[in-house]
Amino acid sequence: MRLLIALGGNAIKQAHERGTAEEQFRNCMVTTRLVAEIVRRMKPEDRLVITHGNGPQAGNLLVQQEMGKEKVPPQSMDVVGAMTQGQIGYMLQQTLTNYMKDMGISVPVCEVVNQVLVSKDDPEFFGEVASKPVGNFFTEEEAEELKREHPEYIVKKVKPVGERAWRRTVPSPAPIANVESEAIRRMVDAGIIVIASGGGGIPVILDEHGHYQGVEAVIDKDLAGEKLAEVVEANVFLVLTDVEKVNLDYGQPAERPIDRMTLAEARRYLEEGHFLPGSMGPKVEACIRFLEWGGEKAIITSLENIERALAGETGTWIVP
Ligand code: ADP
Ligand code: MG
């Protein structure tokens, strides 16, 4: 088994939490204790690669850039992405290693600060398309003020109701290639548990000299995770989020869970709009691409069901 696990935001920070270091370490421990159990049962030839979201951490760090800008120069969004990869990678690395030490397992774990190539011609970079909300919620007045201060920002109403319904949005371009793919592949082949493409990777474009350059954007972590799965030739793609199964007719009276769907069914349901854009949509899309590429199975489930889902007892399985 070559397993790629994509960890959702709640694996590191719960929605109701403020995001203190203690809280995040505690959540990472819940996650990595379960991951360590998977490692315990792996055969010597098995491989594990982990990717993770960074939404809440990058959001908090962006607020710090804004609030502290009179004293310390704010860093650009690509740099903030790199900082959160380091932060979350550190927490996962340390807690997973500690659990494995307790189990007498000595497999090296290593976070890779990881760039992902996007196209500067991606439609998300033009006009007001930018679809990924980041940072704080604002009132209409605050939103207008933010726009005056940063005319280059795109600020959108992202909730139909409520006073604080406005947010800055940034482009969410499609991932094209993982820049550190060769390094990652060699590490994985050598038996290292690699953590990579955190937060969807640091988005970079190629400039006119063919050089990489960071951009203000956020790549969807599930779509980037799928690219990583191809790089490491994973055969199982496991997406861990906050629901045990994917539902049809989500949020409607006829809502019902899916145990298993074929690639063709997944494509049809996606087209019919059963999976919301920006949340379940890209997860199912990533699973579809994984199977199209040649993956054996993709599973979407919640963290606590990781073992049962791998055993075929729960989760939504997507198969060719
Ligand atoms: P993560 O941080 O793990 O990426 P998201 O919030 O982006 O989590 O995506 C998971 C969420 O997707 C679920 O909590 C649920 O609210 C939402 N969702 C949208 N469509 C569906 C669906 N068809 N079935 C189940 N959940 C769905
Ligand atoms: Mg998400």
Side-chain angles (χ1 to χ4, degrees):
M1 179 172 67
R2 290 174 79 97
L3 171 64
L4 189 130
I5 300 181
L7 296 172
N10 64 323
I12 305 141
K13 179 185 169 289
Q14 307 273 310
H16 61 273
E17 292 173 345
R18 293 175 57 239
T20 64
E22 292 78 9
E23 282 168 347
Q24 294 182 79
F25 268 113
R26 208 161 47 231
N27 294 330
C28 281
M29 285 170 74
V30 172
T31 301
T32 50
R33 190 175 59 78
L34 295 165
V35 173
E37 287 297 336
I38 303 292
V39 177
R40 194 216 289 269
R41 270 191 303 278
M42 280 177 17
K43 299 191 196 79
E45 67 273 21
D46 291 345
R47 293 291 181 267
L48 172 64
V49 182
I50 299 170
T51 189
H52 57 82
N54 74 344
Q57 293 75 22
N60 277 1
L61 206 46
L62 285 169
V63 172
Q64 278 182 340
Q65 306 308 303
E66 186 63 25
M67 304 293 282
K69 69 181 176 213
E70 309 301 342
K71 293 204 166 136
V72 184
Q75 304 298 303
S76 53
M77 193 168 271
D78 53 327
V79 177
V80 165
M83 289 158 83
T84 60
Q85 284 185 345
Q87 173 205 333
I88 297 164
Y90 158 57
M91 291 178 168
L92 292 174
Q93 225 164 260
Q94 186 183 77
T95 55
L96 180 57
T97 303
N98 283 342
Y99 279 118
M100 291 197 303
K101 275 179 89 159
D102 292 347
M103 294 173 172
I105 304 168
S106 66
V107 182
V109 183
C110 188
E111 158 84 20
V112 174
V113 175
N114 192 190
Q115 310 168 82
V116 170
L117 181 66
V118 302
S119 168
K120 60 179 186 313
D121 299 320
D122 194 291
E124 283 272 331
F125 287 115
F126 297 94
E128 297 271 306
V129 176
S131 65
K132 175 71 185 172
V134 292
N136 276 355
F137 286 83
F138 301 104
T139 63
E140 184 163 18
E141 234 167 54
E142 290 167 344
E144 277 163 12
E145 196 184 308
L146 185 70
K147 212 44 205 154
R148 268 194 300 279
E149 207 177 319
H150 295 280
E152 76 282 11
Y153 280 13
I154 296 168
V155 185
K156 285 187 190 172
K157 191 171 182 188
V158 294
K159 284 198 297 190
V161 288
E163 205 196 339
R164 308 190 88 83
W166 278 262
R167 269 179 111 182
R168 181 182 175 198
T169 66
V170 297
S172 183
I176 296 172
N178 191 305
V179 177
E180 281 75 27
S181 59
E182 192 51 38
I184 293 168
R185 196 167 15 229
R186 290 193 209 182
M187 288 166 79
V188 172
D189 286 343
I192 298 169
I193 296 174
V194 175
I195 305 167
S197 193
I202 304 161
V204 295
I205 56 164
L206 279 175
D207 69 11
E208 62 273 31
H209 308 291
H211 294 156
Y212 296 116
Q213 194 185 302
V215 285
E216 302 257 312
V218 173
I219 305 169
D220 180 84
K221 73 126 199 322
D222 296 305
L223 295 179
E226 191 279 327
K227 284 270 177 252
L228 180 64
E230 293 183 20
V231 164
V232 300
E233 296 186 7
N235 61 343
V236 183
F237 182 46
L238 178 59
V239 181
L240 295 179
T241 182
D242 53 1
V243 288
E244 185 171 346
K245 289 177 187 179
V246 182
N247 284 351
L248 285 179
D249 290 315
Y250 180 70
Q252 288 164 52
E255 183 167 358
R256 60 207 179 277
I258 308 167
D259 294 324
R260 201 181 168 90
M261 54 182 165
T262 63
L263 178 54
E265 285 166 338
R267 282 196 194 113
R268 193 176 80 235
Y269 297 147
L270 183 67
E271 212 164 282
E272 288 171 357
H274 291 277
F275 319 124
L276 297 189
S279 58
M280 193 54 79
K283 292 182 203 304
V284 175
E285 173 93 57
C287 293
I288 289 173
R289 289 187 196 174
F290 178 66
L291 296 175
E292 284 173 343
W293 164 77
E296 269 169 43
K297 59 182 172 240
I299 309 168
I300 302 176
T301 193
S302 54
L303 185 62
E304 59 276 18
N305 286 298
I306 179 169
E307 276 192 60
R308 291 181 56 231
L310 279 173
E313 291 163 20
T314 190
T316 296
W317 279 48
I318 309 162
V319 292

mmCIF file of all heavy atoms in Angstrom, residues 165-188:
data_model
loop_
_atom_site.group_PDB
_atom_site.id
_atom_site.type_symbol
_atom_site.label_atom_id
_atom_site.label_comp_id
_atom_site.label_asym_id
_atom_site.label_seq_id
_atom_site.Cartn_x
_atom_site.Cartn_y
_atom_site.Cartn_z
ATOM 1 N N ALA A 165 -20.567 39.638 6.709
ATOM 2 C CA ALA A 165 -20.730 38.687 5.601
ATOM 3 C C ALA A 165 -19.680 38.899 4.507
ATOM 4 O O ALA A 165 -19.673 38.188 3.514
ATOM 5 C CB ALA A 165 -22.128 38.811 5.015
ATOM 6 N N TRP A 166 -18.789 39.890 4.717
ATOM 7 C CA TRP A 166 -17.818 40.194 3.666
ATOM 8 C C TRP A 166 -16.440 39.617 4.004
ATOM 9 O O TRP A 166 -16.045 39.593 5.177
ATOM 10 C CB TRP A 166 -17.686 41.704 3.469
ATOM 11 C CG TRP A 166 -18.766 42.273 2.589
ATOM 12 C CD1 TRP A 166 -18.669 42.545 1.257
ATOM 13 C CD2 TRP A 166 -20.090 42.624 2.964
ATOM 14 N NE1 TRP A 166 -19.862 43.046 0.787
ATOM 15 C CE2 TRP A 166 -20.748 43.108 1.809
ATOM 16 C CE3 TRP A 166 -20.803 42.561 4.183
ATOM 17 C CZ2 TRP A 166 -22.066 43.540 1.826
ATOM 18 C CZ3 TRP A 166 -22.118 42.983 4.195
ATOM 19 C CH2 TRP A 166 -22.730 43.467 3.019
ATOM 20 N N ARG A 167 -15.726 39.202 2.983
ATOM 21 C CA ARG A 167 -14.367 38.685 3.174
ATOM 22 C C ARG A 167 -13.510 39.014 1.966
ATOM 23 O O ARG A 167 -14.021 39.142 0.853
ATOM 24 C CB ARG A 167 -14.394 37.161 3.327
ATOM 25 C CG ARG A 167 -14.514 36.692 4.746
ATOM 26 C CD ARG A 167 -14.553 35.182 4.780
ATOM 27 N NE ARG A 167 -13.341 34.615 5.372
ATOM 28 C CZ ARG A 167 -13.123 33.313 5.485
ATOM 29 N NH1 ARG A 167 -13.984 32.448 5.000
ATOM 30 N NH2 ARG A 167 -12.030 32.882 6.068
ATOM 31 N N ARG A 168 -12.224 39.102 2.208
ATOM 32 C CA ARG A 168 -11.294 39.207 1.085
ATOM 33 C C ARG A 168 -11.261 37.851 0.385
ATOM 34 O O ARG A 168 -11.291 36.809 1.042
ATOM 35 C CB ARG A 168 -9.900 39.554 1.617
ATOM 36 C CG ARG A 168 -8.895 39.689 0.508
ATOM 37 C CD ARG A 168 -7.499 39.978 1.016
ATOM 38 N NE ARG A 168 -6.598 39.964 -0.141
ATOM 39 C CZ ARG A 168 -5.292 39.832 -0.075
ATOM 40 N NH1 ARG A 168 -4.708 39.718 1.105
ATOM 41 N NH2 ARG A 168 -4.559 39.810 -1.163
ATOM 42 N N THR A 169 -11.247 37.861 -0.937
ATOM 43 C CA THR A 169 -11.065 36.598 -1.654
ATOM 44 C C THR A 169 -9.804 36.703 -2.516
ATOM 45 O O THR A 169 -9.445 37.784 -2.976
ATOM 46 C CB THR A 169 -12.270 36.246 -2.564
ATOM 47 O OG1 THR A 169 -12.368 37.197 -3.608
ATOM 48 C CG2 THR A 169 -13.579 36.189 -1.783
ATOM 49 N N VAL A 170 -9.143 35.571 -2.669
ATOM 50 C CA VAL A 170 -7.933 35.528 -3.502
ATOM 51 C C VAL A 170 -8.113 34.431 -4.562
ATOM 52 O O VAL A 170 -8.937 33.537 -4.394
ATOM 53 C CB VAL A 170 -6.656 35.260 -2.653
ATOM 54 C CG1 VAL A 170 -6.417 36.388 -1.659
ATOM 55 C CG2 VAL A 170 -6.726 33.915 -1.959
ATOM 56 N N PRO A 171 -7.329 34.513 -5.630
ATOM 57 C CA PRO A 171 -7.447 33.494 -6.677
ATOM 58 C C PRO A 171 -7.158 32.096 -6.134
ATOM 59 O O PRO A 171 -6.301 31.924 -5.265
ATOM 60 C CB PRO A 171 -6.370 33.909 -7.692
ATOM 61 C CG PRO A 171 -6.137 35.357 -7.444
ATOM 62 C CD PRO A 171 -6.346 35.562 -5.977
ATOM 63 N N SER A 172 -7.888 31.116 -6.633
ATOM 64 C CA SER A 172 -7.633 29.716 -6.283
ATOM 65 C C SER A 172 -7.325 28.949 -7.569
ATOM 66 O O SER A 172 -8.172 28.230 -8.096
ATOM 67 C CB SER A 172 -8.853 29.138 -5.566
ATOM 68 O OG SER A 172 -8.576 27.818 -5.167
ATOM 69 N N PRO A 173 -6.114 29.144 -8.102
ATOM 70 C CA PRO A 173 -5.768 28.546 -9.397
ATOM 71 C C PRO A 173 -5.593 27.030 -9.312
ATOM 72 O O PRO A 173 -5.344 26.483 -8.239
ATOM 73 C CB PRO A 173 -4.432 29.220 -9.746
ATOM 74 C CG PRO A 173 -3.850 29.603 -8.432
ATOM 75 C CD PRO A 173 -4.997 29.895 -7.510
ATOM 76 N N ALA A 174 -5.734 26.381 -10.455
ATOM 77 C CA ALA A 174 -5.580 24.920 -10.519
ATOM 78 C C ALA A 174 -4.105 24.544 -10.377
ATOM 79 O O ALA A 174 -3.243 25.176 -10.981
ATOM 80 C CB ALA A 174 -6.110 24.415 -11.854
ATOM 81 N N PRO A 175 -3.813 23.524 -9.564
ATOM 82 C CA PRO A 175 -2.414 23.064 -9.456
ATOM 83 C C PRO A 175 -1.991 22.360 -10.745
ATOM 84 O O PRO A 175 -2.749 21.582 -11.297
ATOM 85 C CB PRO A 175 -2.471 22.078 -8.289
ATOM 86 C CG PRO A 175 -3.874 21.578 -8.253
ATOM 87 C CD PRO A 175 -4.736 22.705 -8.748
ATOM 88 N N ILE A 176 -0.780 22.668 -11.215
ATOM 89 C CA ILE A 176 -0.281 22.037 -12.448
ATOM 90 C C ILE A 176 0.769 20.977 -12.128
ATOM 91 O O ILE A 176 0.703 19.853 -12.606
ATOM 92 C CB ILE A 176 0.332 23.095 -13.402
ATOM 93 C CG1 ILE A 176 -0.757 24.070 -13.861
ATOM 94 C CG2 ILE A 176 1.015 22.429 -14.597
ATOM 95 C CD1 ILE A 176 -0.216 25.255 -14.638
ATOM 96 N N ALA A 177 1.742 21.351 -11.298
ATOM 97 C CA ALA A 177 2.820 20.406 -10.986
ATOM 98 C C ALA A 177 3.416 20.728 -9.624
ATOM 99 O O ALA A 177 3.417 21.881 -9.191
ATOM 100 C CB ALA A 177 3.907 20.490 -12.053
ATOM 101 N N ASN A 178 3.910 19.705 -8.961
ATOM 102 C CA ASN A 178 4.554 19.883 -7.671
ATOM 103 C C ASN A 178 6.046 20.133 -7.909
ATOM 104 O O ASN A 178 6.740 19.287 -8.472
ATOM 105 C CB ASN A 178 4.342 18.616 -6.831
ATOM 106 C CG ASN A 178 4.750 18.820 -5.401
ATOM 107 O OD1 ASN A 178 5.877 19.219 -5.124
ATOM 108 N ND2 ASN A 178 3.830 18.560 -4.488
ATOM 109 N N VAL A 179 6.533 21.314 -7.508
ATOM 110 C CA VAL A 179 7.909 21.723 -7.851
ATOM 111 C C VAL A 179 8.953 20.814 -7.185
ATOM 112 O O VAL A 179 9.968 20.490 -7.790
ATOM 113 C CB VAL A 179 8.147 23.201 -7.472
ATOM 114 C CG1 VAL A 179 9.587 23.614 -7.763
ATOM 115 C CG2 VAL A 179 7.172 24.112 -8.217
ATOM 116 N N GLU A 180 8.696 20.384 -5.973
ATOM 117 C CA GLU A 180 9.679 19.546 -5.256
ATOM 118 C C GLU A 180 9.418 18.055 -5.475
ATOM 119 O O GLU A 180 9.858 17.215 -4.678
ATOM 120 C CB GLU A 180 9.658 19.872 -3.757
ATOM 121 C CG GLU A 180 10.418 21.133 -3.374
ATOM 122 C CD GLU A 180 9.669 22.412 -3.748
ATOM 123 O OE1 GLU A 180 8.424 22.381 -3.814
ATOM 124 O OE2 GLU A 180 10.328 23.444 -3.998
ATOM 125 N N SER A 181 8.729 17.720 -6.570
ATOM 126 C CA SER A 181 8.300 16.328 -6.767
ATOM 127 C C SER A 181 9.449 15.325 -6.724
ATOM 128 O O SER A 181 9.329 14.261 -6.125
ATOM 129 C CB SER A 181 7.512 16.185 -8.070
ATOM 130 O OG SER A 181 8.310 16.584 -9.154
ATOM 131 N N GLU A 182 10.575 15.675 -7.346
ATOM 132 C CA GLU A 182 11.686 14.722 -7.406
ATOM 133 C C GLU A 182 12.254 14.454 -6.003
ATOM 134 O O GLU A 182 12.529 13.301 -5.639
ATOM 135 C CB GLU A 182 12.770 15.249 -8.354
ATOM 136 C CG GLU A 182 13.833 14.235 -8.735
ATOM 137 C CD GLU A 182 13.255 12.912 -9.257
ATOM 138 O OE1 GLU A 182 12.252 12.920 -9.981
ATOM 139 O OE2 GLU A 182 13.833 11.852 -8.899
ATOM 140 N N ALA A 183 12.407 15.519 -5.229
ATOM 141 C CA ALA A 183 12.918 15.358 -3.854
ATOM 142 C C ALA A 183 11.943 14.517 -3.025
ATOM 143 O O ALA A 183 12.345 13.615 -2.278
ATOM 144 C CB ALA A 183 13.129 16.726 -3.216
ATOM 145 N N ILE A 184 10.647 14.801 -3.175
ATOM 146 C CA ILE A 184 9.632 14.082 -2.403
ATOM 147 C C ILE A 184 9.625 12.601 -2.782
ATOM 148 O O ILE A 184 9.610 11.714 -1.928
ATOM 149 C CB ILE A 184 8.234 14.715 -2.628
ATOM 150 C CG1 ILE A 184 8.192 16.127 -2.031
ATOM 151 C CG2 ILE A 184 7.133 13.836 -2.031
ATOM 152 C CD1 ILE A 184 6.980 16.948 -2.431
ATOM 153 N N ARG A 185 9.653 12.342 -4.087
ATOM 154 C CA ARG A 185 9.629 10.954 -4.552
ATOM 155 C C ARG A 185 10.813 10.160 -3.985
ATOM 156 O O ARG A 185 10.662 9.047 -3.501
ATOM 157 C CB ARG A 185 9.683 10.944 -6.087
ATOM 158 C CG ARG A 185 9.290 9.628 -6.675
ATOM 159 C CD ARG A 185 9.028 9.660 -8.173
ATOM 160 N NE ARG A 185 9.517 10.838 -8.849
ATOM 161 C CZ ARG A 185 8.778 11.570 -9.685
ATOM 162 N NH1 ARG A 185 7.537 11.258 -9.902
ATOM 163 N NH2 ARG A 185 9.303 12.608 -10.294
ATOM 164 N N ARG A 186 12.000 10.772 -3.999
ATOM 165 C CA ARG A 186 13.181 10.063 -3.482
ATOM 166 C C ARG A 186 13.070 9.797 -1.989
ATOM 167 O O ARG A 186 13.476 8.743 -1.508
ATOM 168 C CB ARG A 186 14.447 10.877 -3.767
ATOM 169 C CG ARG A 186 14.790 10.897 -5.233
ATOM 170 C CD ARG A 186 16.174 11.422 -5.435
ATOM 171 N NE ARG A 186 16.297 12.071 -6.736
ATOM 172 C CZ ARG A 186 17.423 12.583 -7.196
ATOM 173 N NH1 ARG A 186 18.520 12.547 -6.468
ATOM 174 N NH2 ARG A 186 17.458 13.151 -8.373
ATOM 175 N N MET A 187 12.543 10.773 -1.274
ATOM 176 C CA MET A 187 12.382 10.583 0.173
ATOM 177 C C MET A 187 11.385 9.464 0.468
ATOM 178 O O MET A 187 11.615 8.609 1.323
ATOM 179 C CB MET A 187 11.901 11.888 0.831
ATOM 180 C CG MET A 187 12.972 12.963 0.883
ATOM 181 S SD MET A 187 12.249 14.584 1.269
ATOM 182 C CE MET A 187 12.048 14.427 3.029
ATOM 183 N N VAL A 188 10.268 9.468 -0.258
ATOM 184 C CA VAL A 188 9.241 8.447 -0.040
ATOM 185 C C VAL A 188 9.792 7.070 -0.399
ATOM 186 O O VAL A 188 9.625 6.105 0.352
ATOM 187 C CB VAL A 188 7.961 8.770 -0.845
ATOM 188 C CG1 VAL A 188 6.958 7.616 -0.781
ATOM 189 C CG2 VAL A 188 7.324 10.054 -0.318
#
